[in-house]
Amino acid sequence: MASFSTCILLISLIEIWDLLRVDAKVFMVLLEEEPVISLKANQTHTSDEVAMMYIERLRAGHDVLLESLLQKGSYTKLYSYTHLLNGFAIHSASEEVLSSLQNVTGIRAIHEDMKMEKFTTYTPEFLGIPSGVWRNLGGSEMAGEGVVIGFIDTGIDPVHPSFSSHSSRGILKGRKFKGTCAIGEKFPSTACNGKIEGAQYFASAAIAAGDFNSTRDYASPFDADGHGRQAVSYYRIEFKSLYHTASIAAGNHQIPVIANDFNYGYASGMAPGARIAVYKALYTFGGYMSDVVAAVDQAVEDGVDILSLSIGPSTVPSGPSFLDVLEMALLFATKAGVLVVQSAGNRGPSSSSILSFSPWITSVAASVTDRHYINIIRFNNGQRFYGIGLSPPTAGEMSFPIAAAADVCHMNTTTGTLTVESCQHPDLFIPSLVRRKLILCTYNFDFEYETASIATVADTVMKIGAVGFILAMDPDLGAEQVKRITMTLPVPGIVLNNMQASLALWGYYNSNTIRSRSGRVVVFGAKARLLDGRKAIYSGRAPVVASYSSRGPDVNNALLQTADVLKPNVMAPGSSIWAAWSPSSEGDPYIKGQNFALVSGTSMATPHIAGVAALIKQKHPKWSPAAITSAMMTSADVFDNSGSPILAQSTNQLLPGTPFDFGAGSINATRAIDPGLIFDAQFEHYVQFLCAVPSFDGKAVRRATGIGCPTMKRAWCSDLNAPSITISNLVESRIVIRQVTNVSKMNETYTVSVREPLGVEITVSPKVLRIAGNASRHLWILLTATKATRAYTFGEMVLHGSRNHIVRVPIAVYVSTFSKVLTVV
């Protein structure tokens, strides 16, 4: 068998060396000899002692190789990868170091390190989890018990109540998890308390590159960031604080959500009984791939059950997307039995904007729920307008005068009008003029360029002693939308985030403001009051695909050639999600000092799926990652709360959703723990999938995976036993075979129905499937083109079980050519 460690040979060495830059600082070097996971796969019984001896031998081998090739002092070894990968990361500025490693026997690939960017009170009820799932798993505190979810992110603050330990729960014993607790600044030995099962941090590449600041980033698992964004290089990590994501997946039950001294409800994770393992590899500036790969390697070695990631490239990789370094590392995590859940990306609503590519990864889209926060301003003339901002109301039932910032500020030759109108400088205001007034500020280009912030507007109003503020849009912005639509405010305030309301406000203000001949205001006649913007309302159709959520079709490469893979896989709530936040975070001025934050993104949707997966894992501990993903996909909802097909937010409109928007549908946890049938797949099936990818040859697959392509390899990627059918290029006809497994102990009869995509005729055999408990059967699906659509069209295959199971399989087909004579089988 070819060496496992060559799994991350993404492209030929010639292509790799074209990417290398002389000034690069960190390189990941992969070797031919197999890592620990392959040793365990090849040997039925590998003791922990034998595995540790093998790890030490690999590490020693790395040192010997480096010492034999490189001059002492010319490099620093940052990591030895031993579990999923066999190799090391080194830091060096010397061109000679790279030359010395090139073409050395035993070295399969050298990869330049990439800098990476940083990428609930209601949702359990919205998803029906408390009554439909927790009750069947022993109650909320036991839901997810025994399952460890690993989070690779910015770290965690162990004192938050969402992560406190219950007195009856100790550290997990007698199971495979063997993670450790790294003690450091703000992270004492008591931090790993039974809820937080383990915590480590990875910063060697960040330190080597000079980006790590120990006074700001903390050399410990403690979360110092919270949230950040920095667009750099080829890769990014988009994340919303491990604090936030971990609490959504596995935060404790019934934790009061207090923000700016107001109780917004009670928070709970999807799996409150699950344990958390922390792998901090991201910091205030972002992160580096070699640190992230080390974190993934360690998490799998520790024995996590699920990995929750908000990690992905900022663009499609230049090489094959399925063989990107991170994709390959996660393939072998899947081989080790770890379910990988990853955010789809926030590049929607454009098509082919998906940033999570491979079929062994569960890629998550984000939806909007029916919970909304609406802020209202009521003018004295009877008009009322809606805005944004979760703020307290103005006092009592009375109205207060409105004063434009420019009319109550000192003006001089050095103070520009835009500076005054943005309300960023409290020292410019005249105290006697601002008392008991609502200050009218202007949302201008300074806010778009982030030299001004709404948080500073609120702070200014507090300092000058005004009643509150109104932030209206500058007409010069045109159709721009106000950034930061979900924020809690410490003072009464409203943001009018559309031009119509803003113009109406200015018209009302100007017509009721009396000025002297010099232009100074004599009477502030415009008056208004703000209603309470902190009370949630529940209305409208939901779920709806969020506009920012990345869309399919999936792609093979940077040329955007589409793949026979459905992405995203499944959808979960991602917009305006309440969850835990680090009060010491310096990364976001809107949330600084708060224990909870309201945040949006596919990063928020991902831990919902990780938490539901933990519930399934608890119920079915022997299920493979593919089986868990299948259960979530085939049981997902494609209809909203009104009984109509799910809609998707597009550019300024709502459109009918498709599987490229929401995957198989919106997660239904109650049905997912009892799906009836599953579509299972193992490591060798993913290898066969890679063998069928256009432009991949058998040698490349063997170098990448350690397994060669079979002599009679499958012809199409669509042959992978996935819970979906995607054909990116249907020419006349194709037969797709799927194997279903009955995961109940009871016999069941399924009747097959099909909703055909436009331009495709589908025949399924058998039409009635009788399957015994724990047995497997095959389905033959013939897809025949009847019309060249030159575009993707969508349908579904639904299996209706006699014991009330419903198994839904989405179908997406692009018809290139068709035959007028239909093939008969």
Side-chain angles (χ1 to χ4, degrees):
M1 178 187 289
S3 167
F4 166 91
S5 65
T6 60
C7 66
I8 52 172
L9 181 57
L10 306 186
I11 49 179
S12 68
L13 287 177
I14 292 176
E15 290 173 307
I16 290 174
W17 280 101
D18 284 341
L19 293 174
L20 298 182
R21 300 195 305 266
V22 173
D23 62 344
K25 299 294 184 181
V26 177
F27 291 88
M28 293 174 284
V29 180
L30 286 306
L31 308 178
E32 291 181 349
E33 190 175 1
E34 294 180 343
V36 174
I37 191 174
S38 292
L39 175 72
K40 291 181 176 180
N42 296 334
Q43 298 181 12
T44 306
H45 300 289
T46 302
S47 67
D48 291 342
E49 184 179 355
V50 170
M52 285 304 303
M53 291 175 61
Y54 189 71
I55 289 173
E56 291 305 319
R57 186 171 71 79
L58 291 180
R59 289 173 177 167
H62 300 163
D63 294 335
V64 169
L65 177 64
L66 288 168
E67 290 168 3
S68 66
L69 294 173
L70 306 178
Q71 184 177 354
K72 186 176 181 179
S74 65
Y75 69 93
T76 300
K77 188 183 79 169
L78 305 179
Y79 294 108
S80 275
Y81 304 128
T82 59
H83 193 76
L84 297 177
L85 314 171
N86 176 23
F88 48 82
I90 61 169
H91 172 239
S92 177
S94 170
E95 185 177 357
E96 288 73 18
V97 167
L98 301 180
S99 301
S100 299
L101 293 174
Q102 190 177 9
N103 298 325
V104 171
T105 301
I107 292 180
R108 289 291 187 179
I110 302 174
H111 301 281
E112 180 186 355
D113 199 8
M114 299 290 183
K115 193 169 185 181
M116 307 182 80
E117 182 192 335
K118 298 170 281 191
F119 212 38
T120 81
T121 53
Y122 175 54
T123 48
E125 287 76 14
F126 180 76
L127 298 175
I129 290 176
S131 59
V133 183
W134 290 349
R135 185 179 300 172
N136 296 325
L137 296 175
S140 60
E141 289 189 6
M142 295 302 296
E145 175 61 36
V147 179
V148 179
I149 306 176
F151 295 88
I152 298 177
D153 223 306
T154 58
I156 200 164
D157 187 340
V159 301
H160 196 284
S162 287
F163 310 121
S164 63
S165 178
H166 299 290
S167 58
S168 60
R169 302 171 67 194
I171 299 294
L172 285 177
K173 296 179 180 179
R175 70 181 309 279
K176 66 176 184 176
F177 187 76
K178 299 178 176 64
T180 60
C181 192
I183 300 170
E185 188 172 2
K186 291 196 175 184
F187 211 85
S189 58
T190 56
C192 293
N193 56 11
K195 179 62 175 181
I196 300 175
E197 193 74 10
Q200 299 178 60
Y201 69 98
F202 302 82
S204 295
I207 293 170
D211 286 325
F212 185 89
N213 183 331
S214 60
T215 62
R216 175 196 63 193
D217 297 311
Y218 296 98
S220 79
F222 180 77
D223 181 5
D225 180 85
H227 169 66
R229 178 175 295 273
Q230 181 181 1
V232 290
S233 192
Y234 181 71
Y235 284 87
R236 70 173 181 174
I237 294 177
E238 176 202 21
F239 63 87
K240 315 284 188 190
S241 177
L242 191 153
Y243 223 77
H244 205 74
T245 57
S247 68
I248 292 171
N252 289 328
H253 182 55
Q254 283 292 95
I255 303 301
V257 176
I258 309 294
N260 286 314
D261 300 320
F262 184 80
N263 188 337
Y264 285 90
Y266 294 87
S268 176
M270 303 300 106
R275 312 299 181 99
I276 294 167
V278 178
Y279 299 89
K280 177 180 173 180
L282 311 172
Y283 299 87
T284 53
F285 57 86
Y288 284 86
M289 180 179 288
S290 56
D291 289 334
V292 172
V293 170
V296 171
D297 195 65
Q298 186 64 58
V300 177
E301 182 178 350
D302 288 346
V304 300
D305 298 295
I306 297 164
L307 269 178
S308 181
L309 304 171
S310 296
I311 297 172
S314 57
T315 59
V316 180
S318 57
S321 58
F322 301 131
L323 295 181
D324 173 76
V325 172
L326 189 57
E327 304 285 310
M328 280 287 96
L330 297 177
L331 169 61
F332 288 95
T334 303
K335 182 183 180 183
V338 177
L339 173 68
V340 178
V341 183
Q342 184 180 35
S343 59
N346 292 340
R347 293 300 181 90
S350 301
S351 62
S352 294
S353 55
I354 197 79
L355 294 172
S356 175
F357 311 105
S358 300
W360 49 85
I361 297 170
T362 304
S363 308
V364 185
S367 69
V368 177
T369 71
D370 60 351
R371 181 183 65 187
H372 309 282
Y373 291 95
I374 298 179
N375 203 345
I376 299 175
I377 184 170
R378 182 174 291 168
F379 301 154
N380 263 19
N381 65 359
Q383 285 185 297
R384 54 189 285 164
F385 289 95
Y386 297 96
I388 55 178
L390 283 68
S391 86
T394 49
E397 299 291 323
M398 64 182 297
S399 296
F400 293 89
I402 302 172
D407 291 329
V408 289
C409 272
H410 298 289
M411 295 291 291
N412 55 51
T413 55
T414 60
T415 304
T417 302
L418 291 180
T419 301
V420 170
E421 292 178 343
S422 64
C423 299
Q424 302 293 294
H425 305 285
D427 55 299
L428 297 178
F429 287 87
I430 302 171
S432 62
L433 295 181
V434 299
R435 292 192 187 97
R436 298 186 60 79
K437 290 187 177 66
L438 287 168
I439 306 304
L440 175 53
C441 309
T442 303
Y443 185 94
N444 52 36
F445 284 104
D446 287 344
F447 291 85
E448 291 294 303
Y449 297 135
E450 299 185 356
T451 57
S453 75
I454 301 171
T456 304
V457 174
D459 186 61
T460 295
V461 168
M462 291 178 66
K463 290 179 178 178
I464 65 177
V467 168
F469 71 89
I470 309 165
L471 188 60
M473 295 186 69
D474 186 337
D476 290 339
L477 284 176
E480 290 288 340
Q481 291 292 308
V482 173
K483 294 180 179 179
R484 197 70 199 185
I485 64 170
T486 51
M487 69 201 114
T488 62
L489 297 171
V491 296
I494 188 170
V495 180
L496 299 179
N497 62 324
N498 68 80
M499 197 58 68
Q500 180 182 0
S502 297
L503 292 175
L505 169 61
W506 280 111
Y508 173 64
Y509 178 75
N510 289 328
S511 63
N512 288 273
T513 300
I514 301 175
R515 300 177 183 274
S516 66
R517 291 184 177 181
S518 64
R520 295 189 65 83
V521 176
V522 177
V523 177
F524 292 98
K527 294 183 178 181
R529 69 186 183 98
L530 299 178
L531 305 188
D532 197 332
R534 301 169 298 183
K535 302 292 182 66
I537 63 171
Y538 302 87
S539 64
R541 294 177 60 175
V544 175
V545 184
S547 61
Y548 55 79
S549 187
S550 287
R551 315 296 168 94
D554 197 10
V555 294
N556 284 329
N557 48 45
L559 299 176
L560 301 185
Q561 294 175 328
T562 57
D564 289 356
V565 177
L566 179 65
K567 291 292 176 181
N569 294 98
V570 70
M571 182 173 70
S575 293
S576 301
I577 306 299
W578 279 112
W581 196 262
S582 176
S584 61
S585 169
E586 296 290 340
D588 195 321
Y590 296 98
I591 315 170
K592 185 176 180 180
Q594 302 298 321
N595 279 314
F596 287 89
L598 196 64
V599 188
S600 300
T602 52
S603 296
M604 301 298 95
T606 300
H608 281 88
I609 297 301
V612 172
L615 301 176
I616 299 172
K617 184 72 174 178
Q618 179 188 12
K619 182 75 172 179
H620 307 284
K622 294 184 179 180
W623 279 14
S624 69
I628 296 174
T629 298
S630 173
M632 292 190 289
M633 290 180 65
T634 61
S635 62
D637 293 322
V638 293
F639 297 99
D640 62 24
N641 56 5
S642 72
S644 302
I646 290 175
L647 298 175
Q649 292 179 347
S650 187
T651 305
N652 300 321
Q653 60 182 326
L654 285 174
L655 299 174
T658 76
F660 287 165
D661 300 321
F662 52 65
S666 180
I667 187 70
N668 185 313
T670 303
R671 291 207 300 264
I673 64 171
D674 181 23
L677 303 176
I678 57 139
F679 297 77
D680 207 356
Q682 305 297 329
F683 176 72
E684 57 269 22
H685 300 128
Y686 296 125
V687 174
Q688 292 173 7
F689 164 85
L690 292 173
C691 291
V693 175
S695 77
F696 286 20
D697 59 31
K699 292 181 180 179
V701 173
R702 176 178 289 276
R703 287 194 300 268
T705 65
I707 299 176
C709 295
T711 303
M712 298 295 293
K713 70 176 185 178
R714 294 179 178 178
W716 307 103
C717 294
S718 57
D719 292 328
L720 178 67
N721 195 46
S724 60
I725 297 171
T726 303
I727 299 178
S728 59
N729 183 28
L730 180 61
V731 178
E732 297 190 351
S733 66
R734 186 183 302 184
I735 294 177
V736 173
I737 301 173
R738 290 290 184 268
Q739 177 178 285
V740 294
T741 301
N742 184 352
V743 289
S744 74
K745 297 180 180 179
M746 307 294 290
N747 300 345
E748 192 162 4
T749 299
Y750 286 86
T751 303
V752 182
S753 64
V754 175
R755 178 170 60 84
E756 297 172 327
L758 178 67
V760 182
E761 181 179 281
I762 297 178
T763 303
V764 181
S765 180
K767 294 182 178 179
V768 177
L769 185 73
R770 297 177 177 85
I771 184 167
N774 300 316
S776 297
R777 292 285 305 274
H778 286 89
L779 290 168
W780 281 262
I781 303 112
L782 171 64
L783 298 97
T784 303
T786 60
K787 179 181 179 180
T789 58
R790 309 281 179 182
Y792 276 100
T793 58
F794 306 96
E796 63 183 12
M797 176 177 68
V798 183
L799 289 78
H800 299 267
S802 58
R803 298 184 181 277
N804 297 321
H805 291 113
I806 298 176
V807 179
R808 193 183 306 274
V809 178
I811 301 172
V813 183
Y814 186 106
V815 179
S816 299
T817 61
F818 72 103
S819 174
K820 294 182 179 180
V821 180
L822 299 181
T823 304
V824 178
V825 174

